[in-house]
Amino acid sequence: MILAIAGGKGGVGKTTVAYNLAAALDALAVDADLGMADLPTGRGPDLHDALAGRAAPTECVREGPVTLVPCGRSLSGARASDLGRLRDVLETLERERGTLVVDCPAGLRTDVGVPLALADACLLVVSPQPFALANAVRTRELARELGTGLAGAACNRVVDPPPTEPMASALGGPVTVVPADPRLGRSVRTETPITDSAPGSTAAARIRELARAVDSCR
């Protein structure tokens, strides 16, 4: 299964959700944000190299607390990347590794639409602010146009839980409220999923709830 993690606006914690959800699903996380990658990186080939034909997809896999395919940070690497190769890259990784959790770029550019179109389902990440919901609705509409199903949505970084019914109605699927938790916020930087650092926390429980929603789509 290929699951796209998407959201219309940057800064809503999309990468954090992708990283922690991959941990909960024991899946391979793929950083497909070619211009503004945020998942942990390291030495060796990355997604830029695979999309430029310089490395095989499986050569880019980095083992760790969350197994992932990082993306390069350089402008030259982004320019050399051929999005037309993304299907082959993701399908190869899916055959080798099973479930993929693909961290998509923010916005509605072509580099968002391509991984969305290749995914079996998407999970939307939104913050409680009304403008963030409006952007997520546009991403949901794009997913519908591309024929990509909705596994659910995460209302992330919540301090005062809002009513989820209007949000679920606008997005056309279930919404899971993920509370603001500093351990979740620093999980990508420290490479420590919250299901490991604070397994009994509410935030970890909500990540596992999202994982169950994804499992029901597999």
Side-chain angles (χ1 to χ4, degrees), residues 6-102:
K9 184 185 180 300
V12 297
K14 178 174 50 59
T15 297
T16 302
V17 171
Y19 183 80
N20 284 275
L21 186 56
L25 290 166
D26 193 22
L28 175 68
V30 179
D31 195 338
D33 194 339
L34 304 186
M36 297 187 67
D38 282 321
L39 281 174
T41 187
R43 295 183 178 180
D46 54 42
L47 186 63
H48 279 171
D49 296 307
L51 294 178
R54 296 189 294 257
T58 51
E59 293 180 300
C60 304
V61 175
R62 175 188 164 189
E63 304 290 345
V66 174
T67 305
L68 57 87
V69 171
C71 190
R73 264 62 170 177
S74 70
L75 182 59
S76 60
R79 286 175 172 168
S81 297
D82 178 5
L83 273 174
R85 295 177 182 265
L86 187 61
R87 178 185 294 276
D88 288 341
V89 169
L90 294 183
E91 289 181 350
T92 297
L93 292 171
E94 183 186 20
R95 286 194 300 270
E96 292 289 329
R97 293 284 176 156
T99 300
L100 308 184
V101 175
V102 181

Side-chain angles (χ1 to χ4, degrees), residues 137-158:
V137 167
R138 286 193 285 271
T139 304
R140 175 65 179 122
E141 290 170 352
L142 175 61
R144 281 196 182 100
E145 292 174 10
L146 296 170
T148 304
L150 180 67
C155 185
N156 194 35
R157 296 176 176 169
V158 174

